[in-house]
Amino acid sequence: MRDALMKSLFMLAEKDSNLMLLTGDLGYGVFEEFEKKYPKQYLNVGVAEQNMMGVAAGLALEGKIIFTYSIGNFPTLRCLEQIRNDACYHELNINIIATGGGFSYGGLGMSHHATEDIAIMRALPGVTVLVPSTSEESEAGVINLYETVGTGYLRLDKSKFENTKSIEDVSVGNANVLRYGSDITLIVIGGIAEEAMKAAKILSNSNIECRVLSLYSVKPVDINAIKFACEETAGIITIEEGNLSGGMGAVISEICMDHGLKPRIFSRLGLNNEYSSVVGSQSYLRAYYKIDFKNIVSRVKLLIHNQK
Amino acid sequence: MLSDIKTQELARKVRIHAVKMVNKGGSSHIGSVLSIVDILAVLYGRVMQYRSNEPKWVNRDRFILSKGHAGAGVYAVLAECGFFNITELDKHYQDGSIFSGHVSHKGVPGVELSTGSLGHGLPVALGMALAAKIDKKSHKIFVVMSDGELDEGSNWEAFMFASHHELSNLTAIIDRNKLQSMKTTEETLSLEPLRDKLIAFGWNVIEVDGHNHNELFSAIDSDTKKPKVIIANTIKGKGVSFMENEISWHYRTPKGELFDQAMKDLGEKT
């Protein structure tokens, strides 16, 4: 996803000299070329996220379009109040990019697991929240946020599902169909899409055809895609590599209740109000916390069986 | 540019407005407001370039009040300097008003940044100063901070950043009234030796009497190659006899006889 990120940042920086990239001293091996090519549009502020967000606000107040960058929870939770008061309340064009969503940095420990960021960032009025599942969505996400007035959050992942959708088709407020199917809908955000796609393939052997939706735009959300999922399939299972409280599954349930949608099946897969304290790779932790493809397969089978 | 006598008069009027606003609104932080009024009067009366009829004039000097709880002082000085009608001040702290206790930019001409949570102003000022440098603009950025808010770590991130990036267009003024929310700064989390700390962080440090307009003007107006910080030694509650150096006036509203006494101290008839 980082390659996709840089592709868009280079394109935008070339086009708009008002664009600036600020990093909290992370991006080794990623930003060197950008710094060399656009030295006046690049700034490593040091390991100081609160200050990074304040500086970003000051620059944005003067008309700059800012991208801030760090990993995990550092560019969000560490400076949440600066995001709320300085960026959002002043309606500034500041786009926050975090890499390492969910268990991307599995073995590094809970400090590096971004598992509540979606819930927290979407709670802030005025923030556009994009969570790509594919490289194309990542590449488009940077451009989408650049073109969207106000504060944005782009949450990238180490893993991704390989897809060939054109980036022109990816836009704020629209979910992307990764797989067509009419039996049940799996809604995903982030790289865990690969688990959902793997599960869908296995379930297809049992004659269960899953629709897989990459929600992508957590805020604003694609209400129609959710509506069609409720009407055209037996229901929805949400899959996220993060805490369930206030997360993506909560978004879908809110939309269903608010809009009178009644999926026959509704279930959320994610972390059940817990911090990850086990050491392991991203795929190990997905299995440990029962959100990997095997658990998706069994959950789908159980719910469809119960419904019959 | 106003003369020293006229900035003194501006300060007196701002103090009167502030006490009246707090009285009417039933709000407080009045001690913190009175502490910085002379700084505001010198900045708005003698130092800063601005157009009150064109608040977003691109070449204006920028002002940020980081200690947002002293918002009443900023509203009053802006009204006195023509940004909006003085009668608007009556709306401070009233239901449906835009004049919140902590300074807000929404709908208020002349306010650059809404603050209230401490430790936000200086980092934002850095961004403004950096933008001016990048865009080769000559305007200056001023930020007024409280001494108590120096407890916030974000300020020390910002102090490092300013000197590293040689932001000589930035002046921070610390309202050194030595009192914070519950006790003195030294009893709470000692700041001293503050001057040495700021020098070590790479700033040009000037210490003045924060109520002496000529000292303030000379310090603010002096040339610098480094970011400048002025430690303005002030008295919390300055100008109202019974409020001076009294922590309780961080919270209390002057009413009745005390309000009358405050007006008397400030040379205003009631």
Side-chain angles (χ1 to χ4, degrees):
Chain A
M1 283 188 178
R2 282 191 191 184
D3 293 342
L5 161 74
M6 292 318 293
K7 193 175 167 190
S8 289
L9 281 177
F10 270 106
M11 187 272 287
L12 293 170
E14 182 69 33
K15 193 175 91 169
D16 187 350
S17 60
N18 255 337
L19 180 146
M20 287 186 73
L21 171 63
L22 273 56
T23 174
D25 201 30
L26 284 165
Y28 181 76
V30 181
F31 290 150
E32 286 81 357
E33 206 185 324
F34 187 95
E35 181 183 16
K36 209 170 158 189
K37 197 163 178 197
Y38 306 106
K40 289 180 180 169
Q41 291 169 258
Y42 173 83
L43 186 64
N44 181 350
V45 302
V47 194
E49 293 80 12
Q50 292 185 73
N51 193 47
M52 174 163 74
M53 190 49 62
V55 168
L59 288 164
L61 279 165
E62 298 296 339
K64 307 289 178 195
I65 296 170
I66 307 296
F67 282 86
T68 64
Y69 175 91
S70 189
I71 69 168
N73 300 304
F74 311 152
T76 52
L77 274 63
R78 183 60 180 256
C79 52
L80 186 61
E81 196 185 59
Q82 279 79 6
I83 297 170
R84 178 184 183 269
N85 296 9
D86 303 342
C88 298
Y89 190 62
H90 293 81
E91 299 166 59
L92 299 178
N93 289 322
I94 298 176
N95 302 303
I96 300 151
I97 301 171
T99 55
F103 297 137
S104 295
Y105 295 112
L108 293 184
M110 80 77 79
S111 62
H112 283 57
H113 297 165
T115 46
E116 303 86 34
D117 56 326
I118 308 289
I120 290 167
M121 291 304 289
R122 83 171 182 98
L124 297 176
V127 179
T128 303
V129 180
L130 304 180
V131 187
S133 301
T134 68
S135 294
E136 292 72 26
E137 287 177 350
S138 305
E139 193 180 332
V142 180
I143 300 165
N144 285 169
L145 286 186
Y146 169 81
E147 291 171 346
T148 305
V149 174
T151 304
Y153 179 45
L154 183 69
R155 200 258 219 157
L156 303 177
D157 207 313
K158 211 173 207 177
S159 66
K160 62 176 187 288
F161 170 68
E162 293 294 350
N163 192 28
T164 51
K165 196 175 173 79
S166 162
I167 69 160
E168 283 78 25
D169 297 332
V170 178
S171 60
V172 173
N174 285 306
N176 301 308
V177 181
L178 299 182
R179 186 183 193 280
Y180 291 93
S182 55
D183 291 327
I184 193 157
T185 305
L186 308 179
I187 302 183
V188 296
I189 49 167
I192 201 166
E194 65 185 4
E195 302 284 340
M197 291 300 283
K198 212 188 274 184
K201 203 171 170 187
I202 293 166
L203 287 161
S204 183
N205 295 332
S206 308
N207 293 322
I208 299 170
E209 294 302 332
C210 298
R211 178 179 302 181
V212 181
L213 276 185
S214 166
L215 189 66
Y216 174 63
S217 183
V218 172
K219 187 179 175 182
V221 71
D222 187 343
I223 297 167
N224 280 332
I226 299 165
K227 190 167 171 259
F228 294 145
C230 294
E231 290 170 358
E232 297 168 1
T233 73
I236 294 170
I237 297 175
T238 63
I239 302 143
E240 58 196 308
E241 202 169 308
N243 196 23
L244 291 175
S245 289
M248 183 271 284
V251 174
I252 307 299
S253 60
E254 287 168 13
I255 293 295
C256 288
M257 293 304 286
D258 287 349
H259 294 266
L261 305 173
K262 291 173 184 157
R264 280 167 285 149
I265 289 171
F266 187 82
S267 185
R268 296 183 291 155
L269 282 172
L271 291 181
N272 195 11
N273 271 314
E274 57 191 328
Y275 296 106
S276 48
S277 55
V278 178
V279 177
S281 66
Q282 189 165 27
S283 59
Y284 176 87
L285 291 175
R286 283 174 181 167
Y288 185 88
Y289 289 100
K290 300 187 178 4
I291 53 174
D292 66 336
F293 72 96
K294 285 182 188 163
N295 281 281
I296 299 169
V297 167
S298 55
R299 180 75 66 103
V300 169
K301 281 186 172 171
L302 177 72
L303 290 165
I304 287 185
H305 179 262
N306 286 349
Q307 211 223 346
K308 283 172 184 167
Chain B
M1 188 197 292
L2 299 180
S3 65
D4 180 54
I5 295 168
K6 287 192 172 161
T7 58
Q8 296 284 358
E9 180 56 14
L10 175 61
R12 192 180 74 88
K13 285 180 179 167
V14 169
R15 284 194 165 90
I16 292 165
H17 290 313
V19 174
K20 284 182 177 173
M21 287 158 75
V22 166
N23 167 267
K24 187 163 189 243
S27 57
S28 193
H29 296 121
I30 186 63
S32 309
V33 177
L34 296 174
S35 187
I36 62 159
V37 167
D38 294 300
I39 297 164
L40 294 175
V42 171
L43 282 173
Y44 279 89
R46 259 177 107 172
V47 176
M48 284 170 47
Q49 302 290 314
Y50 57 85
R51 292 175 180 170
S52 56
N53 59 354
E54 193 187 347
K56 292 286 177 191
W57 174 46
V58 70
N59 294 321
R60 71 192 183 281
D61 291 330
R62 273 69 163 164
F63 173 78
I64 289 176
L65 179 70
S66 190
K67 44 172 286 182
H69 52 286
V74 171
Y75 299 142
V77 82
L78 289 173
E80 276 294 336
C81 293
F83 284 85
F84 46 84
N85 201 304
I86 287 170
T87 57
E88 291 289 303
L89 297 176
D90 289 342
K91 297 175 183 168
H92 177 248
Y93 228 80
Q94 303 299 312
D95 291 346
S97 164
I98 53 172
F99 297 99
S100 51
H102 292 86
V103 72
S104 175
H105 75 291
K106 295 247 174 183
V108 185
V111 177
E112 304 278 354
L113 187 77
S114 295
T115 55
S117 176
L118 298 171
H120 283 244
L122 187 61
V124 177
L126 300 177
M128 288 177 158
L130 190 62
K133 262 184 78 169
I134 292 167
D135 296 338
K136 298 189 168 40
K137 299 264 179 64
S138 59
H139 63 261
K140 293 191 163 58
I141 289 85
F142 299 97
V143 55
V144 168
M145 313 164 71
S146 73
D147 50 3
E149 84 167 299
L150 297 181
D151 293 355
E152 294 281 3
S154 55
N155 287 320
W156 298 93
E157 295 179 3
F159 284 134
M160 273 202 282
F161 183 97
S163 55
H164 181 87
H165 292 281
E166 299 173 336
L167 300 177
S168 57
N169 51 355
L170 172 68
T171 299
I173 303 170
I174 296 170
D175 173 26
R176 185 76 176 107
N177 62 31
K178 301 183 181 65
L179 293 177
Q180 56 190 89
S181 189
M182 297 168 81
K183 286 185 178 178
T184 66
T185 57
E186 300 318 288
E187 286 171 298
T188 309
L189 191 59
S190 50
L191 292 174
E192 297 299 340
L194 182 57
R195 184 193 178 93
D196 293 346
K197 283 176 183 165
L198 295 167
I199 290 170
F201 272 72
W203 286 59
N204 174 12
V205 187
I206 305 172
E207 202 164 347
V208 299
D209 173 350
H211 302 301
N212 182 315
H213 290 207
N214 280 328
E215 274 191 35
L216 278 168
F217 177 75
S218 301
I220 296 168
D221 196 47
S222 63
D223 285 335
T224 181
K225 289 197 171 104
K226 296 176 180 178
K228 191 198 295 179
V229 57
I230 297 167
I231 300 173
N233 289 307
T234 55
I235 295 167
K236 194 160 181 165
K238 172 74 177 177
V240 175
S241 53
F242 58 88
M243 291 185 188
E244 292 192 356
N245 279 321
E246 280 294 329
I247 285 178
S248 63
W249 290 99
H250 196 74
Y251 307 99
R252 292 178 67 189
T253 304
K255 295 275 187 195
E257 282 178 15
L258 287 176
F259 175 73
D260 294 342
Q261 179 64 47
M263 288 297 107
K264 197 176 160 193
D265 288 354
L266 296 169
E268 176 79 345
K269 287 176 189 161
T270 51

